[in-house]
Amino acid sequence: MTAEIQAPRMEACDRCRATGAEPGSGSTTCPTCNGRGQILYQQSFLSVRRTCHTCNGSGQIVRNPCRQCHGQGYRQVVRKLKVNIPAGVDDGNRLRLSQEGQPGANGGPAGDLYVVLKVKEHAFYERRGNDLHCTIPVNVGQAALGADIEVPTLEEPYRLKIPEGTQNGAQFRLRHLGVPPVNGGGRGDIFVHIEVQVPSKLTREQRKLLEQLRDTLPVENQPAEKSLLGKVRDYFM
Ligand SMILES: [Zn+2]
Ligand SMILES: [Zn+2]
């Protein structure tokens, strides 16, 4: 896909041609360093030369600062750039835009602009590497009898057949429907986690049906053996 970004950068001021001086006003010798660009500091036996900070070492100061750039010689412009985002990029991936960075000194070529990508949180998919995970709720009837459910993917929806007796927490793996790899390798998978929802509100009829169902089901209220706890069946599609 293509994204439009706003990239600020400094560009040479066209009014003063990067001199910082109002056109026609010229410059004058720096009074701090008398045009030498450096200042000599005497410290006991040592003498140290430092760059003059009034003129930044140029020896000249601007008589009238340019009105457009306030004497900076450069001004910030925000440019709109179209950036090609390859499929499968992840948080922290960097894209390099050649010569879209800050201009070089004295008219040299501009540097490069690096765009660091941040992937937006998805409403229901969680990304782990190139795999995508989502949780899909099913009702008790669908879990017990099996059902056809529709799983949204990056392309068209996938019809997932969940079998009779699907337990809460069951996991279905849809191979190669995850995130395409950016640097070669295989495409990731989609993992569908099933969440069986027990109804919390019942109509009179539903209550009657569930009561009938309850009376036909075996009653097994012994604590489960530890090895069975948390046992989740995985399905591979
Ligand atoms: Zn200017
Ligand atoms: Zn100076």
Side-chain angles (χ1 to χ4, degrees), residues 39 42 88 120 154 156:
I39 294 176
Q42 199 81 39
K120 251 196 212 160
L154 298 175
E156 57 262 31

Side-chain angles (χ1 to χ4, degrees), residues 34 55 97-98 100 146 201-202 209:
N34 293 318
C55 62
L97 305 184
S98 184
E100 298 288 0
K201 268 192 189 141
L202 297 170
L209 290 169

Side-chain angles (χ1 to χ4, degrees), residues 57-94:
S58 68
Q60 300 282 308
I61 55 164
V62 164
R63 206 191 296 268
N64 276 320
C66 166
R67 264 189 273 147
Q68 186 168 268
C69 64
H70 309 289
Q72 301 295 305
Y74 288 86
R75 60 203 184 101
Q76 183 165 292
V77 285
V78 177
R79 296 174 321 136
K80 284 189 175 147
L81 298 176
K82 284 211 156 64
V83 185
N84 250 326
I85 314 282
V89 291
D90 204 350
D91 259 357
N93 284 165
R94 296 197 311 173

